[in-house]
Amino acid sequence: MAQAPQLSENPAKIPIPGAKQVWRLYDRHDVATVDLVTEPDEDPMTNDLIEAHHPYDAGVSTTIRRATIARAEPLLAPIGPDVVTTSLDELRERCRADVDRLDPGVRRLVNPHVYHVSLSDRVWRTQQTTIARARSARPESAGHG
């Protein structure tokens, strides 16, 4: 007999289901403002309004106007035998450049701002559907854990 899927009571521990792409969105000053988790075929730059949902607080979301975003950089790339290797010096420089493009409030060591990672509307809806299915499949006698 198949066991019902387990679902953590801690929302931060609930996984984001499905294949994903992550986009770093930059404002007009080339400052990284948010990382947006999307489905692989989504491109946030094709929409005038971008819905960005908190990854584990279902009541928190924001709408980002496409006009405020200068560019979107995909962060995930397929790897395999054809991948060109990057030297450590190139990786180090890319990392430095990425950090330099963060808002100074996020980079500071004392009381830093939170850098937001959000879910696209499609990914959020898939996650909510998965959570609802897991909860409905849970036996009534199941304990919390």
Side-chain angles (χ1 to χ4, degrees):
M1 180 174 183
Q3 185 178 12
Q6 297 295 310
L7 187 65
S8 175
E9 295 298 322
N10 181 343
K13 292 182 179 180
I14 296 174
I16 302 167
K20 296 168 240 358
Q21 175 57 276
V22 180
W23 297 85
R24 180 153 297 151
L25 305 183
Y26 295 89
D27 68 12
R28 297 286 177 202
H29 303 288
D30 204 35
V31 174
T33 59
V34 65
D35 286 357
L36 185 68
V37 180
T38 69
E39 292 184 358
D41 64 339
E42 286 185 89
D43 180 349
M45 299 302 276
T46 62
N47 300 317
D48 289 334
L49 300 175
I50 303 164
E51 289 298 320
H53 296 270
H54 193 284
Y56 55 84
D57 189 342
V60 177
S61 67
T62 190
T63 302
I64 302 167
R65 294 189 175 283
R66 161 65 181 87
T68 66
I69 303 300
R71 66 186 179 98
E73 173 187 17
L75 299 182
L76 303 179
I79 59 171
D82 300 344
V83 174
V84 177
T85 58
T86 305
S87 73
L88 287 178
D89 288 336
E90 290 171 316
L91 290 172
R92 186 179 300 113
E93 185 52 41
R94 185 184 323 158
C95 183
R96 281 187 186 131
D98 285 347
V99 170
D100 287 345
R101 285 191 295 267
L102 292 172
D103 185 270
V106 173
R107 292 193 315 241
R108 69 181 178 222
L109 298 177
V110 177
N111 298 321
H113 292 166
V114 174
Y115 184 78
H116 295 281
V117 176
S118 298
L119 307 181
S120 73
D121 199 51
R122 282 173 51 189
V123 170
W124 181 80
R125 289 180 191 282
T126 299
Q127 181 188 48
Q128 296 307 304
T129 300
T130 302
I131 290 169
R133 284 184 186 148
R135 287 189 174 141
S136 68
R138 191 175 1 189
E140 292 297 322
S141 61
H144 298 285

